[in-house]
Amino acid sequence: MSIVILNWNIEANPIDTQLIMHDYQLSNQKHFQIIENNDKKFSGKFLHITDIHFDHLYLPNSDPSKFCHNYAKKSKNNKSGKFGTPQSECDSSYALINSTFFFLKENFQDVDFIIYTGDTLRHERDSKIPLTEDYVKWSHKTIINYIMETFDIDKIKFIPTLGNNDEWDHNQLEDGPNTLFSNLTQIWAPLKLNLTSDFLKGGYFRQDINSKLSVFSLNSMYFYDSNDQIKDCNHKNSPGAIQLKWIENQLKSARKERRKVFIAQHIPPLDSEGEPTFYHACYNKYVELLGKFSDVISGHFTGHTNLDTLTFVTVSKNIKNIREKYSLLYLDKDEDPLMESNKDVILVLNNAPSIYPVHNSGIREYRYSTSLEMFGILIDYIQYYADIKKANKIGKLEWEMEYIASKTYSMKQLSPSDWAKVLDQMKDKDSKLWQDYSKYVTVSEY
């Protein structure tokens, strides 16, 4: 069927480009099976999406070595696809973004809220087209327009976070208050978020879903060791140290009020190689908070790496004479998933794949408990993906169910103890569990 997805004119567009959408031929929508649970009536749903990296300058059938912004003189080098170019340095095309938001609009109007873990802008890779402050604002406004056209914000709360590509200077963000926070407060105003003075100063905020569940939208840029504008968290007045204190106070409050907390931020504490991404003191103090409040934190969601990966917060069973009580274990598909027998898994950090098609595109739907005694506990998730190479070949993007966590990993719910059993089975690198995990890390890309 032929569908006009969206049609907008952005007023006073600083880069003189109108956001005009085109018709796309989409296959008949498939019925997506909802996760079945015996206590289905006592559960809610939310989405996790990340790393849109929208590039309005993306040209289909152009040269990927030119970031898909220009055509090569030799036609054989013009290989960019309509829906993206995996394993290149090209960002997300109009066609990919339009089809993705159409899929979201058609299939997810029954979710309670949406967590978006940042990176809206294209990467600052093309030196011939530098980012400007006006362009940054325009890009953020554009995605908010997509959100407002796709969801009823009065019913479905959209909760964004800041990424390392959401500023006009890649990886760089100075202490607040600053111009970016001020601009985003205005741009995000239609989302009706709880943007208090904490956001104007630090870029983070707490959004209550209800009296039993809160989402912390954190600013990982104030922990990030590539951000030269800040100091490590051992400096008490550094923005990272101030944010850590805010997190601790908020978690204490949540524990006292018996609220569960979901933490959302762009950059995970460990990168795709399992190495810390945070400044040393920030990293240690952050991990300590995760461990200390693992009874309060029932979900932790990041993006940034474009990979579907798991990280485990572990605690030593024998804490005597141990300097660091809590530690992180990253599940790298290229290494054996070993864990010392004297450690317990107490929290799981979920990193979701991106819409941006460095691999295949991904969107995740979670189910969480709304029963009185288990409110906010993660029950399951469905990972959806779009095969970008296939889409480019057949001329249309088809979102499919990639896997369901409970079925793939044989779990009753996504509790730390259940994941610990999965981890134990994964120690056999020849096991089906390990093979499945390794396949899904790069979103079933071959």
Side-chain angles (χ1 to χ4, degrees), residues 38 66 174 182 215 249 287 406:
N38 293 330
K66 300 179 185 295
E174 72 275 16
S182 178
V215 176
N249 288 336
V287 173
S406 63

Side-chain angles (χ1 to χ4, degrees), residues 125-141:
R125 290 167 172 163
D126 192 339
S127 60
K128 296 180 180 178
I129 314 174
L131 298 181
T132 65
E133 184 174 332
D134 284 340
Y135 171 77
V136 170
K137 291 188 290 185
W138 178 85
S139 295
H140 284 294
K141 288 178 182 178

Side-chain angles (χ1 to χ4, degrees), residues 95-127:
L96 174 60
I97 299 303
N98 287 339
S99 296
T100 297
F101 275 94
F102 178 75
F103 170 67
L104 291 170
K105 188 168 188 175
E106 289 294 298
N107 293 280
F108 300 105
Q109 295 303 319
D110 60 343
V111 298
D112 301 331
F113 58 95
I114 302 163
I115 290 173
Y116 172 54
T117 49
D119 265 14
T120 292
L121 276 61
R122 64 176 171 86
H123 290 88
E124 193 178 14
R125 290 167 172 163
D126 192 339
S127 60

Side-chain angles (χ1 to χ4, degrees), residues 77-95:
N77 293 330
N78 293 320
K79 298 178 180 179
S80 67
K82 177 179 179 179
F83 296 99
T85 309
Q87 299 299 329
S88 75
E89 292 191 318
C90 301
D91 287 304
S92 299
S93 67
Y94 267 124

